[in-house]
Amino acid sequence: LNDYYGFGGSLLAWEEYKSDPRWSERSYSDIVTYDLASRKRKKLTRNQKYFSPEPNDDGTQIACVEYDEMLESSICILDAVSGAVIKKVSHPGWIYTYPRWSTDGMAVFSSVRDSIGDMAIVKINLQTGTEQILIPFRNRILGIPAVN
């Protein structure tokens, strides 16, 4: 996995890889957090496939990418205390990467790749689940969105 860390409030979040001890072709990627204020480490999820965790500004929610068994991706918003899924947004054929919170916390931005390999940047409204393409799909590499 990558050495990506997300930070919001006093919460640092990352993913940790774990293989299934019995089934060698099954693996998991779970979210781990570290609260800088309390100095406590917590394994937030168990046996999931979550990537690129990004806490919101107050550290109460975490946006991340989830892959299912069919390798379809979704943007998930998790509760930063329990790990419960608060919201899940998916678009068939899109692969989401590196979600970033909007400054008001009402939306998430993400680079996405379509089924032919073109990339775009989308804004996902968390109230409605609607997606707005901000930078259209083209044959180019788009990295982690920067939000100011």
Side-chain angles (χ1 to χ4, degrees):
L1 297 177
N2 63 36
D3 55 357
Y4 174 83
Y5 295 88
F7 180 74
S10 65
L11 201 63
L12 186 63
W14 65 92
E15 66 209 40
E16 286 189 356
Y17 174 82
K18 179 181 105 174
S19 60
D20 188 301
R22 183 171 181 191
W23 309 105
S24 62
E25 293 189 24
R26 184 184 304 168
S27 62
Y28 305 103
S29 175
D30 287 306
I31 295 177
V32 178
T33 61
Y34 181 78
D35 189 316
L36 296 170
S38 67
R39 297 179 173 239
K40 291 190 178 179
R41 182 183 189 274
K42 180 178 184 178
K43 187 165 185 178
L44 191 63
T45 63
R46 300 235 186 270
N47 298 337
Q48 301 296 320
K49 292 186 183 290
Y50 290 131
F51 300 89
S52 308
E54 182 70 20
N56 62 356
D57 283 345
D58 63 7
T60 58
Q61 297 179 353
I62 297 174
C64 62
V65 177
E66 176 191 42
Y67 284 92
D68 64 18
E69 295 300 321
M70 301 303 294
L71 297 180
E72 292 289 327
S73 74
S74 304
I75 293 287
C76 287
I77 306 300
L78 306 179
D79 179 87
V81 174
S82 68
V85 176
I86 297 169
K87 180 87 174 173
K88 187 174 183 176
V89 177
S90 62
H91 188 110
W94 285 7
I95 298 171
Y96 297 93
T97 62
Y98 299 107
R100 283 287 194 259
W101 289 92
S102 63
T103 54
D104 64 4
M106 302 299 287
V108 169
F109 298 90
S110 178
S111 298
V112 295
R113 186 176 304 275
D114 67 12
S115 59
I116 61 171
D118 291 348
M119 292 193 77
I121 293 184
V122 298
K123 177 182 179 182
I124 303 163
N125 181 311
L126 295 176
Q127 299 296 316
T128 63
T130 58
E131 296 165 311
Q132 176 186 4
I133 297 174
L134 301 177
I135 297 178
F137 284 97
R138 285 207 180 135
N139 185 9
R140 63 179 165 225
I141 295 173
L142 295 172
I144 303 170
V147 179
N148 292 326

